[in-house]
Amino acid sequence: MKTNALFALDTWFYNSLGSYNLEAKCEMLAELGYDGINLTLWSDESWADVARIPAIKQRFGIDVTGVYASVSGPDDAVGVRRVSELLETMEGCTLLDLAILGSPEAHTNSDPRGDAAVERMLKGLLAIAERRGITLSLYHHIGCWMETLDDAMRLCLAVNHPNLKITFSSHHWYLTDGKHPERTLERISPYLSGANFCGSRRVPSDNGTDATIELLDDGEQDNFYLLSLLQKAGFTGPIGVQGFSMGGDVYSKLRRSIAAYEDIQRRLKQHPEWADFRNDPIPSAREDV
């Protein structure tokens, strides 16, 4: 039923009590039928797991579809050097998602005055990425300088490098925009390397933002429609499910998420006309309907 590789971000496996080890993460996802896992590098332990990537496919039968890292900004010498070394040495994975938290000339998030320094940093990283056959994908993230898809798109157009792409995160898009996804996805589709989804609703949440991260078929965000737009755009790359701060029984929630994803794909195949939205405004409770 799956037309795109389906992965889970390993953010699912961290909670207030601790985290699952890499073997448990991979075994659960393989048993449930996921195609891959995306690794998040946010601790010394997770960075050490990079050396274990080449063995994951053979041992567990799933791919490492991407690795996520961040830099504080182009003036973060230690962070930029660490990402450079990652690009030089990473084996068994050809996608690096990169979040850029700040830029020295920027006064606010999304401030274009920060572009020039970031562009220079990206060109240096891309020289390594091109040589190693790795895609460097800009990961827009709430609360960071590169906060929106428009920020990532602006950088892609300015740098103009075939190895520089964009990752779509429904949660961060929902927080920073959340409107007219058809225009957004049509605009970024030539640069899209991957996408991840979760259910979401606009209320203060435990994940530190003003929108929740929920299972794929929960919340007010219409993932059926969003996934239909990716299909219409001809996107064939990997699609992921996000589980940051979800907690609870991760296995059962991942099982429900893959079932929800496969059901969406079934409906899109059998009833593509259901995704022909009219974009009418929501009627007021006082109007006759």
Side-chain angles (χ1 to χ4, degrees):
M1 185 69 67
K2 297 189 290 290
T3 56
N4 303 76
L6 180 66
F7 68 88
L9 286 82
D10 72 348
T11 51
W12 282 90
F13 297 95
Y14 294 83
N15 58 47
S16 59
L17 300 178
S19 63
Y20 289 85
N21 60 46
L22 184 59
E23 288 81 5
K25 297 175 187 179
C26 294
E27 286 175 2
M28 286 189 206
L29 293 176
E31 184 172 302
L32 287 167
Y34 285 84
D35 301 304
I37 184 172
N38 270 33
L39 303 181
T40 306
L41 307 185
W42 51 13
S43 67
D44 289 340
E45 291 80 8
S46 58
W47 276 88
D49 283 338
V50 172
R52 305 171 67 190
I53 290 175
I56 287 176
K57 177 70 171 180
Q58 181 176 5
R59 184 174 177 187
F60 302 103
I62 64 171
D63 293 310
V64 177
T65 43
V67 169
Y68 170 95
S70 64
V71 292
S72 296
D75 54 343
D76 173 15
V78 173
V80 174
R81 182 171 64 250
R82 199 174 199 186
V83 169
S84 298
E85 292 171 354
L86 176 65
L87 289 168
E88 286 280 14
T89 60
M90 183 169 65
E91 300 287 351
C93 178
T94 59
L95 175 68
L96 174 62
D97 286 318
L98 184 67
I100 304 171
L101 282 58
S103 184
E105 301 301 321
H107 296 179
T108 61
N109 291 343
S110 302
D111 187 349
R113 284 173 288 192
D115 287 11
V118 171
E119 288 168 19
R120 289 192 294 271
M121 176 193 74
L122 289 174
K123 289 175 181 177
L125 296 174
L126 285 163
I128 306 171
E130 182 177 19
R131 175 163 45 80
R132 300 277 341 277
I134 295 173
T135 296
L136 182 62
S137 195
L138 300 176
Y139 196 102
H140 61 114
H141 198 293
I142 187 72
C144 300
W145 171 76
M146 191 176 68
E147 189 170 43
T148 70
L149 284 163
D150 284 339
D151 298 330
M153 188 69 181
R154 192 174 70 242
L155 291 168
C156 273
L157 292 172
V159 175
N160 190 27
H161 193 287
N163 290 63
L164 186 63
K165 301 296 183 181
I166 295 172
T167 296
F168 173 80
S169 171
S170 73
H171 180 65
H172 297 292
W173 165 78
Y174 188 64
L175 278 160
T176 58
D177 181 0
K179 299 177 181 177
H180 307 297
E182 55 286 335
R183 301 176 193 172
T184 297
L185 289 169
E186 182 179 10
R187 186 173 74 255
I188 69 170
S189 61
Y191 299 90
L192 201 58
S193 67
N196 62 71
F197 293 85
C198 63
S200 194
R201 70 186 79 231
R202 294 185 185 279
V203 293
S205 66
D206 293 338
N207 65 49
T209 72
D210 290 327
T212 57
I213 294 176
E214 303 183 34
L215 297 179
L216 205 59
D217 55 356
D218 276 341
E220 61 192 12
Q221 178 177 274
D222 191 338
N223 286 315
F224 173 82
Y225 183 53
L226 292 178
L227 284 162
S228 79
L229 293 175
L230 279 188
Q231 186 178 91
K232 288 177 182 178
F235 178 67
T236 58
I239 291 175
V241 289
Q242 170 65 269
F244 179 76
S245 80
M246 194 85 71
D249 182 351
V250 63
Y251 183 94
S252 64
K253 292 183 177 182
L254 283 165
R255 179 173 55 197
R256 178 171 155 187
S257 291
I258 193 171
Y261 176 80
E262 290 178 342
D263 185 61
I264 288 174
Q265 293 299 327
R266 176 192 61 79
R267 284 179 276 140
L268 286 173
K269 183 177 181 179
Q270 295 179 359
H271 305 284
E273 72 282 0
W274 289 359
D276 292 334
F277 273 30
R278 286 169 38 186
N279 300 119
D280 293 338
I282 299 174
S284 166
R286 296 168 61 183
E287 294 179 15
D288 292 329
V289 294

